[in-house]
Amino acid sequence: MKKTLAVLEGDGIGPEIMREGIKALRTIEKKFDHEFVIEHAPFGARAYFDEGSPFPDQTKAICDRADAIIKGPVGLSLEEMNKIPPESSPELGAILPLRKRFNTYANYRPIRLPKSLASFSPLRDSVIKDGIDILMIRELVGGIYFGDKEEGAATGMKYARDDCIYTEEQVRAIGKIAFDEARRLGATLTHVHKANVLATSRFWNAIIEDMAKECADVECVSILVDNAAFQLVKNPTQFNGVMLLENMQGDILTDQAGGLLGSLGLMPSACIGPEKGYVEPAHGSAPDIAGQNIANPYSMIGSIAFLLDKCLGLKEESDALWNAMFDILERGYATSELAGETTDPKNVLSTRDFGDMVVDILSQS
Ligand code: IPM
Ligand code: MN
């Protein structure tokens, strides 16, 4: 298969984890006899300083002609970020416009912690039981993130406003993704909401309940978001299966779920639209550790595994990458942020070591 991929390495640890991701991708390309044409493009805070825009026109053109996009984390130190006007920040000027441009409404964030890796988690083994395995599906192009925003003053009083709007079409589109995934996995679907307060949540609930009637083969339950936050820590495995969240609630609970895993370095994600998708780690650019060769490339390599499956339909190739990464961790290796008292210091991997091991495992299998 021949495909063109746009690569936006981003800021901070972006370039170093992307390097490992591309190494893994090139190994897959060779092993399975594909051809991936890669086009690099600037994106994020560095792009703002170098090109005058966090999402320059040339990058848009490269993304437009690519079959799929691989994006690294963005953002520089607080001091540098303070020099960027809000509308040109990597969030408002690059990430949200990228999501809107390709209507990447379906965000997949898997929370997978097999029993064998329970020591990474701050939770006790007895809470992790036989392992956490939750696929969080977050709506990514609607809600309060994309509603009108206003900072104003009226009759002498200052105010600010963020509108939260969802259309039925948007809820049905993401609902379909969630029901389909739950059916595929033979799993329960948990819909998260705040229907005791928000009109948008009541609207979501009515639509999801309606869809549940049409999808009677999928068990569907719903839970208030505050209770879900509590239960995620207290008894996370009850959610094993699929969770469906609107944009803002999904942003918050997916980070909390990263906490359950012990590191956001274990949080790959895919953002899929009707025509194309992009993948990105769910974490930030960690400028404080950039360039030290200690960042965990798992979420970047996992995001590429997602791209193979969700954007290119290459399931076997994707599984090979996931398996290689789990193999490394299950053999007792860990990157520095995951290493605990029980980790043999010889088994602490640098960014590059981890990527090299993925390549070795793929080449040998
Ligand atoms: C994420 C990030 C983004 C979001 C930010 C950087 C705009 O936190 O992908 O979770 O809030 O969606
Ligand atoms: Mn987030």
Side-chain angles (χ1 to χ4, degrees), residues 164-198:
C164 183
I165 300 186
Y166 271 108
T167 64
E168 177 169 5
E169 196 186 354
Q170 281 176 316
V171 180
R172 282 198 180 269
I174 192 71
K176 177 165 172 22
I177 297 272
F179 276 102
D180 286 352
E181 287 290 338
R183 181 177 298 114
R184 185 178 67 79
L185 297 168
T188 302
L189 171 62
T190 305
H191 172 230
V192 178
H193 61 86
K194 186 68 185 169
N196 53 354
V197 175
L198 300 178

Side-chain angles (χ1 to χ4, degrees), residues 224-243:
L224 285 164
V225 63
D226 45 354
N227 188 22
F230 167 74
Q231 298 287 341
L232 261 178
V233 176
K234 182 94 178 147
N235 178 16
T237 61
Q238 69 181 293
F239 297 118
N240 280 357
V242 178
M243 282 179 106

